[in-house]
Amino acid sequence: MRLLVCGGAGFIGSNFVRLRLAGGDEITVLDKLTYAGRRENLEDLDVRLVVGGIEDPGAVADALEGCDAIVNFAAETHVDRSIAEPDAFVTTHALGTYTLLEAARERSLRYVQVSTDEVYGSIETGSFTEESPLQPSSPYSATKAGADLLVASYHHTFGLEALICRGSNNYGPYQYPEKLIPLMVLNAMHGDKLPVYGDGMQVRNWIYVEDFGRGIGTVLERGEPGEVYNVGGPDEAPNLEVVTKIIEYTGADDSLIEYVTDRPGHDRRYSLGSEKVRALGWEAQVRFSAGLERTVDWYRENRAWWEPIRSGDYRAYYERQYGRALG
Ligand code: NAD
Ligand code: TYD
């Protein structure tokens, strides 16, 4: 396929690009290169990179030249940042998604929107299905839910071949260290404190990034237009268990754990049922313990990837967010 991958210089997007190139696709990436989007993530790959926002119709038209489908990963993705500064979330998720949908409609292109389990809100027991109501809690998840509704409307109203793929919490190589797992891995490696929000018993449903990428590929190739597909990981774990495993895999000390003020409006548990995408032939392949060990190894072996992040603007972000400097 000739794919336009929006947000392809970020964590999941760049892993997806790597996977699809290996399968023979031709790829153009459209990416604004925000703090989370990095040329380094695509350095070794044969792709055309267009630098621009998905909310810019000119950049979208340029990037779409010669493409026959769009997969949209482009987003602001950190819940804590959406609480501190929500404006970019509204622009990218609302205006950006609208601009891409218009471009897809004009050209009759297949369109996959990459979304999140967070649009369903928190669930105490059981798992969300694609029929569960949308009850987003944060500015991040609320604007992602808004984008999903707009995508659905373009199928319903204009017959656009649009599909939505909702993933659970991803982890793996190239994840920016503001997110739980890479943050804890790098802090543990440096002997920095491990900041656990609240009681640390919030549960997340972890999926290895390549499993999610294969799920999105399955939906792109075999999904039914107008449908939503959940792609959840095989394991759930409370945050404290995740941090304890990271301490074990890095050889750090338990005393680094520090309980800090909870995130406002913090969702307690996410859990996705993925029967519908399984019926298309997808299955998660990587269990959490094995994937986490692999991820710790990647960060150990790829110092050149994260060193510029840990010594740049990220330090100021960290100090604002956690009220203490990195060591
Ligand atoms: P990320 O923050 O690592 O990457 C986002 C990418 O989008 C970056 O390359 C950034 O430069 C780009 N971008 C941001 N705004 C843009 C704009 N206006 N125009 C063009 N590019 C822009 O995020 P990620 O974790 O790779 O997430 C990718 C997608 O997957 C998002 O849509 C997110 O909602 C979804 N998702 C993420 C997770 C997760 O656990 N990380 C889980 C489920 C779904
Ligand atoms: P995060 O990686 O931000 O993903 P999300 O909020 O989208 O699920 O956080 C995962 C969980 O880890 C979430 O319950 C918040 C918690 N967390 C901490 O306890 N400490 C931290 O420093 C971070 C970044 C997250």
Side-chain angles (χ1 to χ4, degrees):
M1 288 172 109
R2 293 177 307 174
L3 288 181
L4 175 63
V5 179
C6 303
F11 162 49
I12 308 175
S14 62
N15 277 284
F16 177 77
V17 167
R18 202 163 275 112
L19 210 66
R20 298 297 301 193
L21 285 174
D25 286 345
E26 258 176 58
I27 294 188
T28 300
V29 167
L30 172 61
D31 200 295
K32 203 172 180 174
L33 300 182
T34 68
Y35 74 95
R38 301 179 73 213
R39 286 179 191 274
E40 292 91 319
N41 295 355
L42 299 170
E43 216 162 48
D44 49 334
L45 303 177
D46 181 20
V47 294
R48 174 174 166 246
L49 172 64
V50 177
V51 179
I54 55 168
E55 66 279 15
D56 173 355
V60 170
D62 172 15
L64 265 176
E65 202 121 309
C67 295
D68 34 43
I70 301 176
V71 183
N72 180 29
F73 292 88
E76 290 292 330
T77 59
H78 192 35
V79 173
D80 293 327
R81 289 187 195 248
S82 84
I83 294 167
E85 284 177 79
D87 51 353
F89 290 73
V90 177
T91 306
T92 294
H93 302 172
L95 191 57
T97 303
Y98 158 73
T99 307
L100 288 179
L101 287 169
E102 277 296 309
R105 178 160 85 98
E106 275 168 25
R107 296 163 179 78
S108 301
L109 300 178
R110 192 166 168 96
Y111 179 97
V112 175
Q113 176 78 357
V114 180
S115 185
T116 164
D117 56 1
E118 302 194 27
V119 298
Y120 298 117
S122 191
I123 189 165
E124 263 179 46
T125 55
S127 299
F128 290 118
T129 72
E130 291 81 358
E131 308 303 318
S132 300
L134 302 186
Q135 289 188 310
S137 317
S138 68
Y140 164 64
S141 52
T143 50
K144 288 294 290 184
D148 283 9
L149 293 175
L150 196 61
V151 171
S153 82
Y154 268 64
H155 172 75
H156 186 83
T157 308
F158 304 116
L160 184 73
E161 232 182 273
L163 304 97
I164 297 170
C165 196
R166 294 187 179 134
S168 59
N169 277 69
N170 277 238
Y171 68 102
Y174 301 98
Q175 188 169 30
Y176 195 83
E178 64 189 351
K179 304 283 165 57
L180 178 74
I181 289 179
L183 183 144
M184 295 295 175
V185 170
L186 294 186
N187 280 19
M189 283 167 57
H190 288 82
D192 282 321
K193 290 284 184 194
L194 307 176
V196 171
Y197 296 167
D199 64 2
M201 294 312 287
Q202 304 83 4
V203 171
R204 296 294 183 264
N205 180 186
W206 294 100
I207 185 165
Y208 193 67
V209 64
E210 283 174 12
D211 276 338
F212 189 37
R214 286 187 308 97
I216 296 165
T218 302
V219 170
L220 172 68
E221 287 164 15
R222 300 201 284 282
E224 189 66 35
E227 294 295 315
V228 175
Y229 294 88
N230 291 342
V231 181
D235 297 293
E236 294 180 15
N239 295 336
L240 206 51
E241 188 183 312
V242 176
V243 174
T244 306
K245 278 186 198 285
I246 290 171
I247 287 173
E248 185 192 323
Y249 297 157
T250 55
D253 201 275
D254 280 347
S255 63
L256 291 179
I257 292 178
E258 179 177 54
Y259 291 92
V260 300
T261 310
D262 208 352
R263 170 188 284 172
H266 199 168
D267 284 336
R268 197 71 183 160
R269 175 171 174 265
Y270 300 136
S271 178
L272 274 186
S274 310
E275 299 315 315
K276 203 165 151 183
V277 70
R278 273 206 190 91
L280 297 180
W282 174 87
E283 197 63 61
Q285 291 176 359
V286 183
R287 297 300 299 267
F288 185 56
S289 293
L292 186 59
E293 226 172 328
R294 217 197 271 184
T295 303
V296 170
D297 287 345
W298 188 86
Y299 282 90
R300 259 206 204 103
E301 289 158 14
N302 287 276
R303 181 172 277 270
W305 183 86
W306 53 256
E307 229 161 26
I309 298 176
R310 285 238 342 164
S311 58
D313 294 348
Y314 175 75
R315 297 187 79 80
Y317 157 77
Y318 193 90
E319 209 165 322
R320 270 198 314 278
Q321 177 66 23
Y322 296 100
R324 65 153 68 231
L326 281 174

